[in-house]
Structure formats: structure tokens, C-alpha cells
């Protein structure tokens, strides 16, 4: 089986790249997907493509909905959804994605430092694994995806 | 029709009470539900009921899962899910609930101050209304629930 | 069994009232639901409740989403969805409701004059009955809802 | 990921061709699907294949159901449903498709001129993007489908 | 719990009446539902309510769809679907109902004489019980519905 | 798109072969599936594989369930389910398959002679097309599956 | 909200009675459901109601399916499924019920002694709480079901 | 069609290998999947990958959830789930998988010796076939998967 894996959350560190290298080295049969990780492009896509909004609310609204075409489709197609929380920003979109994935019955893996355990407890409670490093995530994938031979 | 409404999110202000008064004054045919809003009880319910955990992670985990029996059932039974974001704490559980409700196709109303618009843009994009005050939420309920006569 | 019936579409004639009288005379165990049929209130609800929009697009958008809280919930709760097309306006919302109801597997009854048969053929094709008068709709309800005794 | 995109609505302009050229130039991994766009063939398919009907209602009914084999299957298989409204005809089938797609949780993009904003407000409210030109639709696809690299 | 039970199939013997008496004597918390069992009314309802058809095919079609408003709704609301096959007629509608109920995950009980075992084997294979008499069906209901005390 | 088509029903005429030839000549992108059409093998598979049963009921039961592994999986994977009724036997399995497919929202095409119209009216009412010859079925497939070019 | 709770598993101790007393004392708005707990009646219901089987396999099969009418319906109607494992018998039906409930997204609470932790680890992993005593289960219910006031 | 088959249950005999050889000899278009069958690796994966737990309960819990990423995904992707019960251990995970697969509507085949018939009766009742040897399972697969030619 080929597995689809969606990498949600933090866009300001190289955790996706680490996971990508790990699964490539392990030659796992996976495709990795992600949101648009160019912060400015993601914020501005509504205005850029469909025309400038006067109100910040509608600028954000239009952009977020265009991004949702990508993110919701990819979450729905995923077998595993990995959600990374970093130490900056509100990251409510990451928690939203985790709730969305959980309600669809996806296998959720959460990736965060131990000092975020208490505020993330409800998110962690919906996950099948809580990792602290990208290397652990790769090990989990390597373990669960190892094919019958 | 009787409507079930779940009030998710912030537990440190009286917004639920304001909505409750509003719908009672309007005599709307609704039942309002909420998570356990006693912060300490909610944090400690796992240890209190099932026994003390040595590790903070598992203490939180056990408590969050017990709380999930309540919150997921009530979200699944709800016709409308109202999610309130305040100015304190990470509130990832509120964003998780919004994602969970959205994936189930529930009508979501988000309630927050305008200065949270940018970080909440993905949550707002999944909502059918974004309000700034409990009074506005009551007006929306009063408008959409008004029966045929 | 008590049946929930949603009456979608035209708001400028008294067809809902005729059906209401008919089912009351027949003493059918039904509840009738409808969208907000006050045209101005429906168009303006977003601005009225949540604040005035500068752009007509967002004014309409905000209002339509608030109305969707009501219409989608009531369609999802309905056993039968009756959709009326009149001779005025575009009425794309009525056709949208018919498609929404059909995809959810609801029993759809369409009500329109014979001269609309050709443009409504795709909508009619998804219906379990196509009636020309409210009286016929009442007869259908009277026939299908008659209880075992 | 390969994306399936269904192009619903207007059959009397070259908007599908423009989108096709755009996605081919961008080398996007997409398949584009459409209803039968030969107006006469679509209207007559019931009589042509299964035999002539005396009544216009049943001629239309038979044809619309055969067309529904195609359209409903393709909408159900689609990741994105794009619905185009032009300036002619009732186009209730386009609004029906939008409602059908929305109820299935598909990402809907609506394409129409600004003067149709008010009558299409309920359809637009269910969409993740509202575009005015095929070029904008191509830009959205180009943005959301750009793969992780 | 109150149980909804749908009694599908044969309309020319008193098996529904026997089950009704049995569950009333046992004071079971059940509601029994059935299709319209007046053969002529059922065959003619399309023409009677919506106008006479020239073609027998469309007369039957129109009637069957009106009947489907009742039968499909009641099957979807049922906890248990009981399907009776007698010794007369094709009874394809009964087998259709059994397939429809099975696909929805309903508990199906089939009721027929032993000499129909071979032709009904696929229907029986989808059932949780195969009874030969209405009295056995009542005993099953009495056994499975007996409440905790 | 590649279409999966399941051919249910009569096993004593060459209608499947005719459809197969037709779709091959038209070079349609379809896969055709069917139940085991060897009557004796189908009746005896339970006893042959799992051991002889003393009772005819359980012999049939065991065989029908093994056949159901094939038939239910193939119906669930199908885009279109074609159900053929001939002039012999009870054919309740064909009507069961039609009901099963209809409840899953599959596009159903029924194929039968006009003299079966009245007893098949409920099955026909759930279909998107009712054909009288395999050639008509091929024409329908040829029409609905014609790709965008 | 009124909660439906299904009590699956061990039938040879008084754990159901203890939970019943607990929720009655706490005046919780719950209904408790259970399988038929009369061991002999449960084993023999097929033979008793539908006639004696020669083969032990089919005797068990017929009985288990009749019991499934009750157990599957009650699990599907339940908000919470509590599964008790004791120290006797194989209890594969209890583990089957836990898997069935988990796949339906029900909140599962498992109740067992600590010495069963290792063999029950996969069942526990699907639960929202693992209790050791009926009193703990009552406390959980009392905590999660406490209404908003 | 290519079939996905999940082989759940006993990990201490060579039944999976026998089925693998059988389907390879028969050249069936199937992929076989299984849980991690290295007992120690499966028990320890949580501690090994994510860090050592002090409590046996949480060690098991963490491991079981990681294993669930694999097992639930593979069951959800399967067309047929084969569950083997041997003569050792509690094997509650096998019964859990059977219940999980049954609730998802998968075709379940159970494989066990006749002396386990009585304790497995509820599991067998949810299966479409109950086999005693891997060779019988291969014969069933060979029979149901034989393609149309």
C-alpha cells in the first residue's frame, strides 16, 4: 500500500524537510503533502488572485478559503495527519486541522516539545502518537509502514 | 424543532451566561451545552476518579480523554457549535473543537474580538458567522431559530 | 412517526400557507419548516446583526451564511423537502437546496407550473414527485403519511 | 496527488477550453471532467437511445436521468467542482450541481460576472472561492495544487 | 428504548395484523410501520393525485416514486425491517426493500415458507433471522426487545 | 476516468457477453464485473469448499454468504450497477442487488422486457435508466462515458 | 440531554447492578441497556424460537444472530459503550463489541482488573477511559454527564 | 479489480504464509496485509521509539496506539478481513479487529478450529465465512476473486 501523509502546522522550522529525508532514506512507500508554506503567499493569495480587499477581515477570509481548498482535500485524502506545534504564534490553524482530521477518523500524530504538553492535552488525547522530534516521527512511520514480506 | 447548541471555548468570562440569558428572554426552543467549566476539576478529573499519575503527560492525557466523552458527544449532538476565543491562554482545545465540528458539517459560529482576526482566519473561514459579542450571537440565534407561524 | 417537512423556494406567493392549511385539515403528524420568508430581513440580516459592510458582495455573503445556519440544519432534519419554483427571479437558491437535499438522500418534491418543465428537468429528475399545485402536494403528503391503524 | 476537477454549468461559451489550456500550460496534475456539452444530444439522449416519448415531460425526464449517470458520478469523484453561471438561460442545473457538491463536502469554486452576485449569494456562500474569469480559476488551481517539492 | 419496525412485503394475507396483535399483547415498546397496503390505491396513486398518464410505464413509474417517499423514509427510520414473502406474485419490491435495508445496516428478519428457501437464499443470507410464522417473529421481538430491569 | 460496472441478475442468457462486445468495440474505459455465473458452482460453493451440510437451508446459507463476499464488494466498488431480469426464476437476488445498490447511491440501470414493467415498477423507480436490450445499455454507456476532449 | 449507555461484556457478576444503583442515586439522565444476560436463554434462543438445529455450529449461529438484533441496535443507539472483562471465559464477544463500538466512533469505557492490562492493551487503546471498578465508572458518568446549570 | 486483504490475529503459526503461497500459486490479484507480527517489537514499539515508560499500563497503551496506526488503516483499506484465532492467549485484539471490520461493513472471514465454535459464536455470526484451514480460505479467495473473462 502507498500511504498519503499530510504535514500540518508550523511553517518556520525545517521539520518537514527532516521527515522527508527520513522517509526517503528508509525508502517508504509514502507521499508527503503540506499546506502552502510560503507565509506571505498564503496570507495574500486571496488579494493576489481575486482582487484587493479593503477590509483586513475579508482579505484574510478570502485567502483562508482558497487555502482550505488545498488543506481540506489533502487531509481527506491522507492516511496519517502529522501536526506540528512550535513555540511561536497562536497556531490555531494547526489545532483546527487536528480536530478536522480526528473527526474524519484519520490517524493523527502530534509533534511538539514537552513544555507544550498541558495546553495541547486535548489535541494529544485525540492522537495515536505524541512525538517530540521529527526523527521519532520517521521511526513511527518506518515501524507502521514496514510492508509484509 | 428543538435546537441543541454547544458552547465551546473560553471558560474565564461570563459569555455563556450572557447567551443563556439572551435565549431565555427570547424564549427560544434551545438547549445549551458546554464542557466542564470548572478549570481545576477538568484538569484533575483523571487523577481524581481513576487514580494519581506520576507523569504530568499521562495525568493530562487521562483527564482529556474523560473530558472528550462529554465534549465529542455534545458536539456530535449539536445543531450549532459556538466557539469563543478570549485573550488568554493557548486555547488550542477551542480550535480543535472548531475543526472537529466543521468536519462533521455542523454550523459553526465563532466569537472573538477583532484583534484576533488574523490568527483565527482559518477557523473563521470554516464558520457560518463570526461575531464579536455574545449579544450578536443571541441575535443570530433569534433570527435563525424563529419558527414558521 | 412524526414527519419533518422543509418548504424551500419561492417566497412571494402563499403556497406555504396553502400546504399548511391542507395538512392541518388532514391532521397529519407533520412539522413544516421554511427559510426566513421576509425578503428584506433575509437580505439584510448580516449587516443588521453583525455590522454594515461597504461591499455588496460581502453584505450578501454574510447574510447568506447566517441564513444557511437555518436552511441547512432544517434540510438535514427533514424527511421530505418540497421545492417551489415560481415565475419570477433567478431562484438559484431553490435549485441549490434541491441539489443539497438530493445529495443527502432526502425525498424531494418539486412544485412548479408546466411551462418550467424544460429548464427544471434536472431538478425534476432528482425528485420523487413533481406537482403543479399546493393541493397536489397536500394529497401526496396525505397519501404517504397515512398511518397504519 | 492527482486531482479530479468537474466543470459544471454554462455550455455556450469557451470557459472550459480556457481552463483546459491554463492547466495544461501550468502542467498541473489534474483531470478535467464535464457534462455532455452538446446541447441537442443532451436534450434528446433519452428519446434517441431508449425510444421516443409522446410527452415532453417524460422526454426531458428520461434524458435528464441518463445525464445524471454521468454528472453525479463525476461530481462524486471530483476533488473540486467549478460551477459557471453565464448570462443566458435559467441554469437551474448548475445551481443544483452546486448544492449537490456542497452537501457532499466538495470544494466548490463559482465563476460568474459581478452582476450576478445578488441572485447567486446562497451559491457563493457555499463556495471556497468566487471568481470572475477563467484565468482566475486557473490561478487558484495553480496555487492550491502546486506540489510539495 | 422505543423501537421502529417496518413490515415490508406481502399485502394479501393478515401477517401484519398477527404481528400487531402479538406485540400489543406483549406490550412491547414498538411502533409498526408498513407501505400502503391497499393494492389499487398503491398502483393508482400517481394518476389519481398528479393526473392520468397515457403510458402504463409512466403510470407505474409515477406511482412507485410516490410510494417510495413513504417506504424509503420508513426503512431509514426503522431499527428492524421484517420482509414477508408469500406464494403469489413476483414480489420484487420486497426483495428490493431487503437489499435497501441491508445496505443501510438495518437488522433484517425474513418471513417465508420453507419451500421458498432456495430462491430466497441471498435474501436470507443478509438477514439476522429467518422465520416461518408471524408468531416466531413476535417471539423474536419479544426476546430482543425485553428491557433491562 | 475509468468506470467500474457491475452486471447483476440473469445468468441464463448472453446479455453480459453482448454488453462486453459493445463496450470493447466502443473502446470505453470500463471494467465489467459479475457474480459467479456458473449456476452449479454458485449453488454448491459452500459445501464444496467448507464441507457438506445436512440441511438444505444451511447449504444455501453458506453458499450465499460466500457469494456475498464477491457481490457486495463489487457493487460497492461499482460506479454503475446494471440489473437484468429475464423471464425465468424468481430472481429475488437481482432485486436485492438493485435495492442494495440504490441505498448506496449507485447509478442503477435496469434491463428487462416490457411485459415485466408492472412487477418491476419499484425497482425501475430507483433506476436512472430502464432499457429493453443490451444494445441500449451499450448506447447509454457510450453516451455517458464519452470523455471530454 | 438524555444519554444512552450500553453495558457490554461479563454476565456473571453484579457490575451492571452496581452501575445502575450509582446512576440512580446520582439521578443522572441516562438509560442503561444490556444484552440478554440470562446465559441459557441467550445460548438457546435460536433453537427455542425458530426450531432445533442438529449441528452445534448452526445452533450457535442462529442464536448469535438473534442476539445481534439486540446488541448491534443498542450499540448504534448508545452514546457511551461500557465493556466489562471478567476473569472467566474467552469473552470474545465483549472484545468484538468494543471493536464494533470504536469503529462507529462511540465513546468506549473499558472496565477490568489490572492483571488483564497486557492482553487488553489494544482494546484499552481504543477507549476514552479504563476503569477498575463499577464505582469509578459511575464517577466518570457523574462527571461527564453533569448538566450546565 | 485488485483486492486488499488484511490478515488479523494469531502470530504464532504459519497460517499467513500458507495463504500467501496459496494466492501466489493461484495468481490472484490480491495484496495481503498484516499487523507487525514480531511479538517483541510490537509490545515494545512505544518505549523503543518514544521513550521508556515507568508504568506497564502506559507502556502498553503507547505501543498499542502506534500499532493502531497500522492496523486501523489497513482494515479500512481492506476489501476482505480474515481473522485467525489459535489455541493460545486471550486474543482479544483479534476479536476487536473483527468487530471493527464488521462495523465498517467489510467482508469478514473467520479461521479457527471447531472446538472454538461456541466462544466465537458472536464473531462467526458477523462473518461471511467460517473456515477451519488456511487451504479453505485460499479456496474461498480463489472462488470469489475469479475474474470475469
Amino acid at each position: 500500500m502507498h500511504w498519503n501523509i499530510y504535514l500540518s502546522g508550523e511553517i518556520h522550522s525545517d521539520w518537514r524537510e527532516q521527515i522527508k529525508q527520513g522517509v526517503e532514506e528508509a525508502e517508504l512507500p509514502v507521499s508527503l503533502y503540506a499546506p502552502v508554506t510560503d507565509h506571505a503567499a498564503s496570507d495574500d493569495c486571496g488579494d493576489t488572485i481575486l482582487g484587493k480587499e479593503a477590509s483586513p477581515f475579508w482579505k484574510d477570509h478570502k485567502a483562508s478559503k482558497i487555502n482550505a481548498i488545498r488543506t481540506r482535500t489533502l487531509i481527506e485524502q491522507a492516511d496519517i495527519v502529522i501536526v506540528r506545534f512550535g513555540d511561536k504564534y497562536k497556531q490555531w490553524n494547526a489545532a483546527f486541522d487536528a480536530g478536522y482530521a480526528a473527526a474524519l477518523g484519520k490517524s493523527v500524530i502530534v509533534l511538539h516539545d514537552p513544555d507544550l504538553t498541558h495546553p495541547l492535552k486535548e489535541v494529544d488525547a485525540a492522537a495515536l502518537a505524541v512525538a517530540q522530534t521529527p526523527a521519532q516521527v520517521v521511526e513511527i512511520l518506518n515501524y507502521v509502514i514496514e510492508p509484509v514480506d
Side-chain angles (χ1 to χ4, degrees), chain A:
Chain A
M1 204 185 99
H2 191 89
W3 295 62
N4 288 330
I5 300 176
Y6 184 71
L7 305 172
S8 170
E10 195 194 21
I11 60 173
H12 300 95
S13 73
D14 69 344
W15 69 279
R16 283 187 186 82
E17 191 58 30
Q18 292 183 51
I19 290 177
K20 194 183 169 206
Q21 288 185 347
V23 300
E24 284 176 355
E25 280 164 22
E27 298 186 345
L28 296 184
V30 302
S31 294
L32 301 178
Y33 298 101
V36 169
T37 55
D38 175 334
H39 196 149
S42 170
D43 274 7
D44 296 339
C45 66
D47 276 21
T48 305
I49 299 174
L50 295 175
K52 208 165 166 48
E53 291 295 329
S55 137
F57 180 86
W58 295 116
K59 180 199 165 182
D60 278 343
H61 199 73
K62 216 161 60 171
S64 299
K65 285 193 158 170
I66 290 176
N67 284 310
I69 298 175
R70 178 183 182 119
T71 57
R72 292 191 205 161
T73 302
L74 293 172
I75 291 175
E76 281 154 23
Q77 299 290 342
D79 300 297
I80 299 175
V81 175
I82 299 169
V83 190
R84 163 73 185 162
F85 290 84
D87 53 4
K88 294 207 198 85
Y89 303 102
K90 297 286 193 187
Q91 305 179 86
W92 284 321
N93 58 329
F96 179 90
D97 283 357
Y100 198 90
L104 296 178
K106 304 295 174 185
S107 292
V108 174
I109 299 173
V110 191
L111 172 60
H112 62 80
D113 288 343
D115 59 326
L116 295 180
T117 288
H118 190 64
L120 278 172
K121 62 186 182 298
E122 288 88 359
V123 177
D124 288 352
L128 289 177
V130 180
Q132 297 183 15
T133 67
Q136 287 176 329
V137 172
V138 171
E139 280 187 77
I140 291 172
L141 297 179
N142 206 12
Y143 172 77
V144 299
I145 296 178
E146 178 188 30
V148 180
D149 61 19

